[in-house]
Amino acid sequence: MTDAVHRAGDVPAPGFPTLPMMGPLLVALPCLLAALLGFNTYAPYGADAALGIAVGAAAVVAMAQTLILAARPPLVEQLFGGLDRMYRVHKWLGISAMVLMILHQQIEPDFERTVRETSLGELGEEAGELAFNALLALVAVSWFRRLPFIGLEIPYQIWRFSHRFMGALFAIVVFHQFFVDMPTEVDPLLSVLLNTFGIAGVIAWIFTELVAPYLRRREFTVTEISQTKDTTTLTLRPEGRAMRWRPGQFAFFRAPEAGLSEPHPFTIASAPRPDGTLTFSIRALGGWTRRLPATLRTGTRVQVEGPYGRFDFRKGGARQIWLAGGIGITPFLAWAESLTEAERRDIHLIYCVPTQEEAIGVETLRAAAARNPRFSFEVVVTTRDGRLTAERLIGAVPFAIRQADLWFCGPTGLKDGILKGLKAQGQTPRRVRFEQFEFA
């Protein structure tokens, strides 16, 4: 796994249950309702005023929901089909809020002739201006974390630090919403809606920053560290209450004692064990992960928050292909470790690595194959065997691909090339489920 913004997530292909679509729909409807209420309520004051209020109201609701989703409510995650998908909605809600704020600024309603101005109202208006400009800058930092064309990337620490101010600025927006001078004879339903979402957004931010770190993080101790090429494998022992997870899920990991205080998400590369120990395999692909081997020691106390994610092969069919590229093997290692003799699915895993030295967890795969004859695997070393193609995949799998589910985790290029080749061969899998490496 890589830096925090490269966490894997699961995205269902057509044919999977549509429940995950409920999440985007549920966040879109309140924004639309706020816009419609805003326009309808202030239509008597002119089209410009109605439109300005409509986009401003939608911006408040959208921004409130970004903070609510950032709190990672477990029940809500189900509606999106995984935390990675929920975070993508979070990202686009923030971008939408920025666009709507710009429109609100450009079509600012003018009620000077219809309301009596107060000092508190003027303060609310000035606060709105301040919050608008600051939020615009922070959302832009989030949107353009990787600057296009020039390849410059804003360091994760700066990106995350700037994110922590979003809630404080939104609180100023809520103050603006509460106290800016507005006509008093209008229907109060819009104000109730905006105040409800505003307060909920601020509470969610306070919970995320001040409460969640103490409720959700569990203490672990590093008991074993091993290095395979540029991948560090950590075994962690729980201190106190153990964490429960399903194979294929991920968790946020941080090590303040080692100076690695920012939480980064990684797949748990082991199945649940009676003693509660878990394993992370972390590839050095960013500044944070490159520092990891040199700073962590056996006995270091670390913190883990989770689990998250809904990447679960047990939701698939009777015949499955598992395709892993590089560090994308981690969820499959957890799955393989969890296989028992009673498992009745036919499963074939193909693991692609540049060199044999970079392959991790092969012993786990061998043990799973010895334990259950329905599970088989092969390691494709691309520098020796060449790149995996759809034709080679068809020849390697011991059952018809068209009747199987394909589960994938790895680089996007490998996935796209294989799926395109299978389609050309008339061997499109029955279902496709894959891990999305771009997490943020």
Side-chain angles (χ1 to χ4, degrees), residues 3 157 285-292:
D3 274 328
Q157 292 83 354
L285 291 177
W288 193 94
T289 49
R290 289 192 184 99
R291 290 166 50 204
L292 193 70

Side-chain angles (χ1 to χ4, degrees), residues 140-283:
V141 167
S142 301
W143 193 2
F144 295 111
R145 190 190 165 201
R146 292 181 185 84
L147 298 181
F149 307 115
I150 62 175
L152 181 65
E153 184 171 327
I154 297 172
Y156 173 72
Q157 292 83 354
I158 296 176
W159 177 84
R160 186 171 182 274
F161 184 74
S162 68
H163 244 56
R164 301 184 70 176
F165 285 100
M166 290 281 192
L169 292 173
F170 181 70
I172 299 176
V173 171
V174 174
F175 177 85
H176 166 80
Q177 150 65 23
F178 265 88
F179 296 111
V180 69
D181 293 317
M182 299 289 285
T184 57
E185 64 274 10
V186 296
D187 188 339
L189 185 58
L190 175 63
S191 293
V192 171
L193 177 69
L194 296 182
N195 293 343
T196 300
F197 271 95
I199 293 171
V202 172
I203 291 174
W205 172 67
I206 293 172
F207 175 81
T208 301
E209 295 297 328
L210 302 179
V211 180
Y214 300 98
L215 289 181
R216 293 178 172 174
R217 290 174 184 165
R218 301 175 190 267
E219 298 290 333
F220 284 76
T221 298
V222 178
T223 58
E224 186 179 342
I225 303 175
S226 62
Q227 194 75 23
T228 304
K229 198 83 176 193
D230 58 355
T231 299
T232 303
T233 298
L234 307 173
T235 300
L236 310 180
R237 182 191 68 229
E239 299 295 332
R241 189 163 54 101
M243 188 176 75
R244 296 181 179 180
W245 74 93
R246 297 187 305 274
Q249 290 190 293
F250 67 95
F252 288 82
F253 170 85
R254 66 194 296 264
E257 283 187 7
L260 303 170
S261 57
E262 300 93 5
H264 284 55
F266 302 104
T267 301
I268 302 171
S270 57
R273 299 163 179 168
D275 62 358
T277 60
L278 59 84
T279 299
F280 287 120
S281 291
I282 303 170
R283 190 177 179 189

Side-chain angles (χ1 to χ4, degrees), residues 59-60 62-64 66-67 94-95 97-99 101-102 127-143 162-174 176:
V60 169
M63 197 65 206
T66 63
L67 296 171
I95 293 170
M98 180 183 71
V99 173
M101 283 189 292
I102 293 173
E129 290 282 346
L130 170 66
F132 165 77
N133 291 312
L135 277 172
L136 200 61
L138 292 185
V139 174
V141 167
S142 301
W143 193 2
S162 68
H163 244 56
R164 301 184 70 176
F165 285 100
M166 290 281 192
L169 292 173
F170 181 70
I172 299 176
V173 171
V174 174
H176 166 80

Side-chain angles (χ1 to χ4, degrees), residues 266-388:
F266 302 104
T267 301
I268 302 171
S270 57
R273 299 163 179 168
D275 62 358
T277 60
L278 59 84
T279 299
F280 287 120
S281 291
I282 303 170
R283 190 177 179 189
L285 291 177
W288 193 94
T289 49
R290 289 192 184 99
R291 290 166 50 204
L292 193 70
T295 54
L296 280 186
R297 297 286 183 273
T298 301
T300 301
R301 293 178 69 90
V302 299
Q303 295 176 341
V304 177
E305 176 192 334
Y308 297 101
R310 303 179 67 78
F311 196 59
D312 187 353
F313 79 96
R314 289 180 172 82
K315 297 178 181 178
R319 293 179 176 176
Q320 299 187 15
I321 304 162
W322 298 354
L323 178 56
I327 198 62
I329 189 63
T330 47
F332 300 120
L333 292 179
W335 289 358
E337 186 179 327
S338 73
L339 292 176
T340 65
E341 296 177 1
E343 178 59 56
R344 289 293 173 258
R345 294 175 178 84
D346 292 315
I347 300 168
H348 186 71
L349 165 67
I350 298 180
Y351 176 20
C352 300
V353 287
T355 65
Q356 187 67 50
E357 293 73 24
E358 294 179 62
I360 62 171
V362 177
E363 299 81 7
T364 299
L365 301 179
R366 287 178 182 148
R371 198 165 54 246
N372 191 314
R374 290 178 176 268
F375 173 76
S376 58
F377 77 96
E378 60 186 290
V379 179
V380 176
V381 179
T382 56
T383 54
R384 181 193 67 198
D385 307 323
R387 292 178 61 84
L388 179 69

